[in-house]
Amino acid sequence: MISLRPHRTTPGTTRLSLFSLTTVLTFIALLVSVTGVASAYYTAPGGGSSSATLGTLQPPTNLVVPATSSGTVNLSWTASVGALVPTGYFATRTATSTGSTAVAACGTSLTSTLTTVSCDDSGVLTGTYTYTVTAVYKSWTATSTKSSSVTVSNATSLAFQTEPSGAASGTAFTSQPKVVVRDAGGQTVTASSNTVTLAILGSPVGVTLTCAQNPLPATSGIATFSGCRIDKAGTYTLTANSTGLTAATSASITITFGAATKLAFTTQPTASTGGVAFSTQPVLTVQDSAGNTVTTSTTPVTLNITTPAGATLTCTSANPLPATAGVATFAGCKIDKAGTYTLTASSGTLASATSTGLTISVGTVAKLSFTTQPPSTSGAGSAFATTVTVQDAGGNTITGSSAAVALSLTTPGPAVLTCASNSLAASAGIATFTGCQIDKTNTYTLTATSSGLTTATSSSIAITPGTATKLSFTTQPSATGTSGSAFSPQPSATVQDAFGNTVTTSAAPITLSITTPAGATLTCTPTTSLAAASGVATFAGCKIDKAGGYTLTAASSGLTAATSIGITISAGAAARLAFSAQPSASTGGIAFGTQPSVTVLDTFGNTVATSIAPVTLSLTTPAGAALTCTSANPLAAASGVATFAGCKIDKAGSYTLTANSGTLTSATSSSVTISVGSAAKLGFLQPTANVSAISQTVFATGSQPSVAVQDLGGNTLTGSTATVTLSLTAPAGATLACTPNTLAAVSGVATFTGCQIDKTGAYTLTATSPSLTNGTSSTVTITPGTATKLSFTTQPSASTGGIAFPTQPVVSIQDASGNTVTTSTAPVTLSITTPAGATLTCNSANPLAATSGIAAFAACRIDKTGSYTLTAISGTLTSATSTSVTISVGAAATLTFTTPTPAPYAANTAFSTSVTVQDAGGNAVATSVTLDIASGGNSSAVLTCSSLTAPTVSGVAAFNGCKIDKKGITPYKLRATAGGVFSTFDIQVN
């Protein structure tokens, strides 16, 4: 250091000598030649002479900046050393990437300096920079060397580098969040140590996010969180915030509930009155340690009174109640006794929950209760006492109640309850009943009722019987029965007290009898006297033999007897038949004067009135006789009796009748005599069966009719000489001849001879005699004789020439009596008796073989007009001639042209032609014929004749002066028409 002393020449001015000035300048030059060293001089106002010292201002050294930064660059340096101590420092920044000039840094300047040896240059834009620091001493400055480069990345936003993952509530996320500080280009600002704060998006109420540290400064631009967790189940997103930076939002994470650990009342029960359900019912939730509902839980939750003190909690819902989705919602819960309580909810190993306190007060009048029960046993008619209390729904006594209370038997049956007073007004809520008794033995409960209150039922009271006084049928015999069959049910007689209760200790002997026997007998197995067992005599096998109406009497010494209900005994099963009315004597064929009646009986001889069994009546030994009845036989019984009507026997003799019906034992009547009666009818003795004969041939021997004079039963009156005449019952054209016919009976019989019938057929003969009923024979069948002739049985009818007769001829082969010989197949030939040039033709064969003696011809016709007869012949048989048949001219059937000559013709040249008209038989037909051009030639040509319509003469129509005006390319086809029939011929016109 060089010290310079100035020389003062005049006041206020300091001057240097020339030497001094030269020296100073040289020193300054030296100073300038050394980098970073600042040399300075100064002037000072003043007067007089003085001296000055010249020093060197040293620059700061060791300027340090970070290699990277996030917008705020920290500068530090070593202070200037030397005689001159800087009054301050200022920093500059130069962007090396752009080559720009230095700018002030750290908020400093030549005039705004720092006295510290470090500063923060904030708000630095992204880029690469160097710094210098300048020491300032008065007007002197000394600048440091350039710093190393610093790369600045400006933090602009946050982003989740690692997303948080879901977890159970209160449990650290499996994947913990990492938040990165990024610049505008999305690059990590590794120099950043920004403080990052995590939060739950939306800040949901009651949900807490905790981490090991939060907020957390970034390290190398990344805030790595740990131990982060959320206490409540749900779906959330996290936000990361840092002052001045755009916040980041995570992906959604699901926090599930944890393992169930405890119960909680999520709805508290509210106060109520005794026995009335809480207005707000308790709801218990299964929760994890963080208080989340474990929605998968179905654990059963049990609700109890924490300190019951005699009170009872009941619920209409189940208790224990399985949770549904982690929630047990109880229903209808109530506490019976007044008091203050809490409820405790428990479930296995889960921490129990206790509700808030709830007060149960005495409610309104609701029900009755037996507070003193009746005795467990009492005798029939013996007095007892009981007490009934008026209570609220929970069983608390309503001391202010004076409600009227009535007692009754809950299920009285036949029993009656009586008390000294019933009903009874409660006193201070209590009704005490005395002098109560029940008359019938059994086990009962009492019911207490009061208007508007729920009834109460007592405990059971057993009523025992009193002293035996009487008998009673406790099981009546059946109201109906069958003779000889045991009643069903069997009677039971019971020993009873005055109230009708069975005296179960009694073994009194009881005798059973019919009250009014009327000839009937009662039997029982083993006896009708029986000792009571436990007060009851149960009889068995009791039955009455006779049908009728009865009652039974039960008696025992010293006891009042009992009479049963009425018993109607009906007959038993049908077993046999009996004649209840015998038939009386009669004559042959005349109904018995007294008709038989047969009754269906049971084993004991009782009429089985219900029987409708069919009864068959027959002769025990018929001997050729027949029994008939106008009533049905078999005859169904009515009320067990078959009453026959109109029964009679035809033949004289002595007989018995037998009555039968299925498996029933049959019955035989007393003997009945049948004698011969007066003449009443005729009867054929011969023929006795159907016979055959040939027409006009005498019946064979044994087939000649024989007729007897008989009574109604068919017995011959051997003394009769009545005149008998024979005839055909239905002649149908046939004739009966006998030699003779009429004939007087001999010994009651008319025997005819030489009888014959001329016509075939099936006949019966009728025998008549004055005042006697006609007789009718069996059938006589007359067959035809030998074929002898032919006969037209169907005549041919009129027709037109060549047309089949509308009615075709039928020829029959007959015997001499005109009967068709149905066995004949002889060939029959048909012809015209006198042909006169006519011809007969048939579509059927001719000759035609007969079928069953008949030749039915078909489609026969004659061609020529006229009147004819047909003749039928067949071998040696006599021929037959038909009636006359007329053949007339028929309708036009054919037209025939007479071809004109010469041909061909020139146009407009006259020609003539004629047309013959015939019917189907070739007979000339009188009609008109029309001529025209049908086709061909020239379509415009015209045909002219003297007349285009001409009448036939002898069947011929003549056309004259005919011409065609135009020649034809092809022949013309002329057409003649008559009666719908036409004919054509070709004509060439040139």
Side-chain angles (χ1 to χ4, degrees), residues 176 195 421 545 801:
Q176 290 290 315
T195 298
S421 178
D545 59 347

Side-chain angles (χ1 to χ4, degrees), residues 541-608:
C542 296
K543 55 191 174 185
I544 296 173
D545 59 347
K546 299 298 181 186
Y550 306 94
T551 58
L552 303 183
T553 296
S556 183
S557 178
L559 302 180
T560 302
T563 301
S564 74
I565 61 171
I567 310 169
T568 299
I569 301 299
S570 55
R576 61 192 177 96
L577 301 177
F579 277 89
S580 48
Q582 297 289 341
S584 61
S586 185
T587 58
I590 299 296
F592 311 140
T594 302
Q595 289 290 309
S597 292
V598 179
T599 301
V600 181
L601 302 176
D602 66 5
T603 303
F604 298 95
N606 299 298
T607 300
V608 182

